[in-house]
Amino acid sequence: MTTEPAFCSVRELGKLLRSGEVTAVGLARYFLGRLEEVGRPLNAVAAVTPQRAMDEAALADSELARGLDRGPLHGIPYGLKDIIAAPGAPTTWGAAPFRDQVLDCESTLGERLRNAGAVLLGKLATVELAGGMGYDHPDASLTGPALNPWDTSTWAGGSSSGPAAATAAGAVPFSIGSDTGGSIMMPSAWTGITGLRPTYGRVSRAGAMTLSWSLDRLGPMCRNADDCGLVLEAIAGPDPRDPSSLTEPYRYSGRAARRDHFRIGVVAGSFDGVQDEIRANFESAVASFAEMGTVDEVALPDFPYKEVAEVIMAAEISAAFDDFLDSGRASELAAGKASFYRLAATALPARDYIRAQRIRRHIVAALDELARQFDALVAPMLGIVATPAAESFTGPLGVAYPQQVNLASVTTGMPSVSVPSGLGRGGLPTAVQLLGARLSENTLLDAACALEARTGWAAHPPAFSP
Amino acid sequence: MRGGAGQAPDADIAALATRLIMQSHGAVVAEADVNELERAVLALVQATHALRRYPLRNSDEPMTVNGRGPGERA
């Protein structure tokens, strides 16, 4: 292998494969090695699936050799967040009470990636139960705190910690994460990768752990926005196994991508209180957008986003885990006492949950009307850079995260993407979030690609060596 | 679990709700942790209290558990 593939994009790896410079088996072997050498020291790996990886890679080589090309992901290795089942591998949900759990079924998403020719390398670390029981410390994971490859004394974020750390460190070309309250967006921002939280229902959740039926989403975490589009194309679509899945088809490749004339709405007040470097990087991103189209300041409609999200999560998560909570086994979690926030929901009246869902309908209507006037609403993704891996994050995150724009996407199911915007305090990544109307992923990704092309930050690997 | 106008303060409601939870789940919460549970209950009480301030009409329908409204196709 003459080309170093660790930080190649999916498209670049595809070119190497089709030119014969690399083979799928060679790539699988190379990235399995990267997972061991780079991923494990970062606490990013839950389990590797080497036999499956080599079998799928050999099949990909054989198919490509005889002219059967399954598309951009054919022969490309990837990793799954360990809340998503895969046959033959443990699915621990990152939690001690489930450390021996084996779910011998394939997720719909895994089936689709296999049909696209992608090569599963293994399962990547997650905060226990995808953070659903609550946690206030990075070590709330069966694999320990996921370390940030930009500075291993800091945390990679959560709950899709392993996908973020492994993708940022060049241990996998792309990964799949899950997001209920920001779990794709936040670690993507802190590790300098591009994360896409698709429209609610775009991607089937069959085979993935349920946290919150009306909020859970799965999505790609990649080196750049273009890769996110390629992966989303492979995994999107209706699925009878997930009654929430949308019927609308999704196509990313084979269309004329936009690179300018974007109408951007900058959310007023969204950078109040953020670190100076984050604000400066955000203003630089806005200036880039201004050169490519129009930029207007907009006010986010006034709603109790945080409280709506809190009450819905409390009710749905405690319902999804009611047997677990009743069993007392939550005390075995690393953040066992945090589960009291879910136990508290046993005294939550049904009408309060329904009230939250009634307000949510108003939020959806107002945000949809606003988002349709723009190609993207933009704001800094987070107000602070990655926090120390050895410290509680209750204080700083409580102030700066989650922000209203993130919660607007969480509660409405609208798509959003986290795009690197530069480096901030301590040389750690900063990011901008782009929020769009329902089903507007292609517009968002086009805007993200255009921003990435201007800034060059998406191609910037961390200076990490194990 | 509500501290609306004319009702008890949030802290009193949280204390009462905590006692109810301890009656049903006392086996899974140690006595030493009751204060922590009560703090969690209070946070939720305050969140529901904030929702009460948002005006709704009688006819306003909820989103459903799969993120859609009644009658909407999944």
Side-chain angles (χ1 to χ4, degrees), chain A residues 91-240:
Chain A
T91 303
T92 71
W93 297 349
F98 300 95
R99 67 166 68 241
D100 298 321
Q101 179 172 254
V102 176
L103 303 174
D104 202 21
C105 66
E106 189 80 275
S107 65
T108 295
L109 176 148
E111 277 176 12
R112 288 179 177 168
L113 286 170
R114 188 164 55 186
N115 290 339
V119 175
L120 178 66
L121 298 178
K123 312 292 271 315
L124 301 174
T126 172
V127 173
E128 55 189 6
L129 305 181
M133 289 296 139
Y135 65 111
D136 60 6
H137 200 286
D139 68 2
S141 170
L142 195 52
T143 43
L147 307 179
N148 193 321
W150 290 84
D151 175 351
T152 54
S153 73
T154 65
W155 183 34
S159 68
S160 301
S161 315
T167 305
V172 290
F174 76 90
S175 56
I176 301 294
S178 72
D179 195 304
T180 303
S183 286
I184 287 175
M185 301 289 284
M186 180 253 199
S188 293
W190 272 4
T191 58
I193 64 171
T194 303
L196 172 64
R197 175 170 53 198
T199 302
Y200 177 86
R202 267 288 196 211
V203 179
S204 167
R205 303 163 303 181
M209 186 196 82
T210 295
L211 204 53
S212 175
W213 291 276
S214 72
L215 299 172
D216 290 347
R217 291 184 256 178
L218 303 179
M221 299 170 73
C222 300
R223 301 218 184 295
N224 58 40
D226 182 48
D227 283 1
C228 286
L230 297 176
V231 176
L232 181 61
E233 184 172 64
I235 62 178
D239 177 19

Side-chain angles (χ1 to χ4, degrees), chain A residues 200 213-214 243-244 246-247 303 307 310 326 328 337 340-341 343 346-347 349 351-352 355 357-358 361-362, chain B residues 1-2 21 25 28-29 33 40 47-48 50-52 54 57 60-63 65-66 68-69 72-74:
Chain A
Y200 177 86
W213 291 276
S214 72
S244 296
L246 298 172
T247 54
F303 284 104
E307 289 80 7
E310 268 180 17
D326 288 352
K337 290 183 182 177
F340 291 164
Y341 285 90
L343 201 53
T346 57
R351 66 176 179 172
D352 283 330
R355 186 173 190 89
Q357 292 284 23
R358 293 169 75 199
R361 184 177 288 282
H362 286 242
Chain B
M1 190 191 284
R2 181 167 298 135
I21 294 169
H25 290 78
V28 300
V29 182
D33 293 331
T48 60
L51 297 186
R52 299 297 302 169
Y54 185 82
R57 293 167 305 183
D60 285 332
E61 287 188 10
M63 303 283 282
V65 78
N66 69 353
R68 292 175 177 76
E72 289 179 73
R73 190 162 152 265

Side-chain angles (χ1 to χ4, degrees), chain A residues 326 343-344 346-347, chain B residues 14-31 34 37-38 41:
Chain A
D326 288 352
L343 201 53
T346 57
Chain B
L16 179 60
T18 302
R19 283 202 295 278
L20 285 172
I21 294 169
M22 288 303 290
Q23 281 181 18
S24 60
H25 290 78
V28 300
V29 182
E31 277 299 323
V34 171
L37 174 62
E38 190 167 326
V41 173

